[in-house]
Amino acid sequence: MNEIIKQKIKELFFKNKGYATTKQISDKGINRYYVSTLEKSGFILKIKTGLYKWVDYDFQYNFELVDVFKIVPKGILCLTSALAYHELTTINPWQYEIAIERSSKVIIPEYPPIKLLYFSQKQLNIGITNIEVDGHLIKIYDIEKTICDCIRYRNKIGIDIVKEGINEYIKRKDRNFNKLMKYAEVCRVQKILKQYLEMLV
């Protein structure tokens, strides 16, 4: 492969913090044939149709998490995935749980493992915070919204995980019970949340 073209493509990936689309490459006047050549040679990895990652880019944190949000750019990290990020559970989730709007249509590749949760607009758009991972912005629910969502999905993720999450939340100095109860109202879990709190506090 022409080393000059390869270097030009590599610079584009590094400028975009490790990722590039076939359109971005084509816009540089580079034939898409070179994308296929780089993929076959192991220099780049296909994340989804039209999107690639430079394999040897110096990802410092969790490159898979960035991959997930390149696949589902409008998604929000939630449930046990958010619990783990906020250090509210000892479990290590085997899949990435991502909240999206109910009318969204997303094609999920075989890897990484992604579980989509379809939320109403009202429940989707509260409690969102942004974090930066290797220069890429990722949306995640804050600790209070995460607790409320876990209560909503308690029968799917497990009661023990919910109890552990609430117990760890209570220990935190940055907890905000007013915000927690506000979110609980929106998520319609006030009664159940109060029962958990009475049992654990």
Side-chain angles (χ1 to χ4, degrees):
M1 181 177 181
N2 187 305
E3 285 298 321
I4 295 175
I5 294 177
K6 176 184 172 183
Q7 186 60 33
K8 189 175 181 181
I9 296 173
K10 181 178 180 180
E11 288 173 359
L12 175 62
F13 274 87
F14 276 60
K15 182 181 178 182
N16 292 321
K17 300 181 178 64
Y19 296 83
T21 64
T22 49
K23 183 179 184 305
Q24 289 171 326
I25 294 169
S26 295
D27 288 346
K28 291 291 184 179
I30 300 170
N31 193 300
R32 296 191 181 191
Y33 158 80
Y34 293 106
V35 175
S36 177
T37 302
L38 285 171
E39 184 183 9
K40 290 176 182 177
S41 302
F43 287 102
I44 63 175
L45 180 68
K46 185 177 181 179
I47 301 303
K48 65 176 182 179
T49 302
L51 176 67
Y52 294 84
K53 175 174 67 179
W54 193 271
V55 173
D56 289 337
Y57 184 81
D58 187 21
F59 292 99
Q60 298 294 321
Y61 182 63
N62 184 336
F63 64 87
E64 269 192 8
L65 189 56
V66 178
D67 289 353
V68 168
F69 281 86
K70 292 296 181 181
I71 296 166
V72 195
K74 294 183 179 180
I76 306 156
L77 198 67
C78 67
L79 297 181
T80 57
S81 296
L83 274 182
Y85 180 86
H86 291 305
E87 299 181 340
L88 293 172
T89 181
T90 53
I91 70 161
N92 185 21
W94 66 273
Q95 63 183 351
Y96 297 91
E97 292 164 316
I98 306 295
I100 60 172
E101 204 272 326
R102 280 178 180 168
S103 63
S104 298
K105 295 182 180 179
V106 181
I107 298 174
I108 301 298
E110 188 174 331
Y111 191 86
I114 298 171
K115 171 70 174 177
L116 297 178
L117 288 303
Y118 296 90
F119 285 22
S120 68
Q121 282 283 355
K122 187 176 182 180
Q123 293 174 341
L124 182 76
N125 293 322
I126 61 166
I128 301 171
T129 185
N130 292 322
I131 58 175
E132 186 175 307
V133 177
D134 286 325
H136 300 271
L137 283 180
I138 288 173
K139 291 182 179 180
I140 181 173
Y141 285 120
D142 62 23
I143 55 176
E144 284 79 18
K145 179 59 161 49
T146 297
I147 291 295
C148 291
D149 285 337
C150 285
I151 293 173
R152 283 178 62 210
Y153 286 86
R154 63 194 179 280
N155 292 328
K156 290 186 177 181
I157 68 174
I159 301 297
D160 289 342
I161 292 175
V162 176
K163 288 180 179 178
E164 180 189 30
I166 296 174
N167 196 43
E168 291 301 312
Y169 171 77
I170 292 170
K171 297 176 185 177
R172 293 181 61 135
K173 293 181 180 179
D174 60 344
R175 65 185 184 274
N176 185 327
F177 285 116
N178 288 333
K179 186 192 291 187
L180 182 67
M181 297 312 297
K182 175 185 175 183
Y183 291 164
E185 183 177 357
V186 174
C187 296
R188 298 179 179 178
V189 294
Q190 314 101 296
K191 185 176 179 179
I192 301 170
L193 173 60
K194 286 178 180 178
Q195 290 174 353
Y196 276 121
L197 291 175
E198 288 170 1
M199 181 172 55
L200 294 170
V201 174

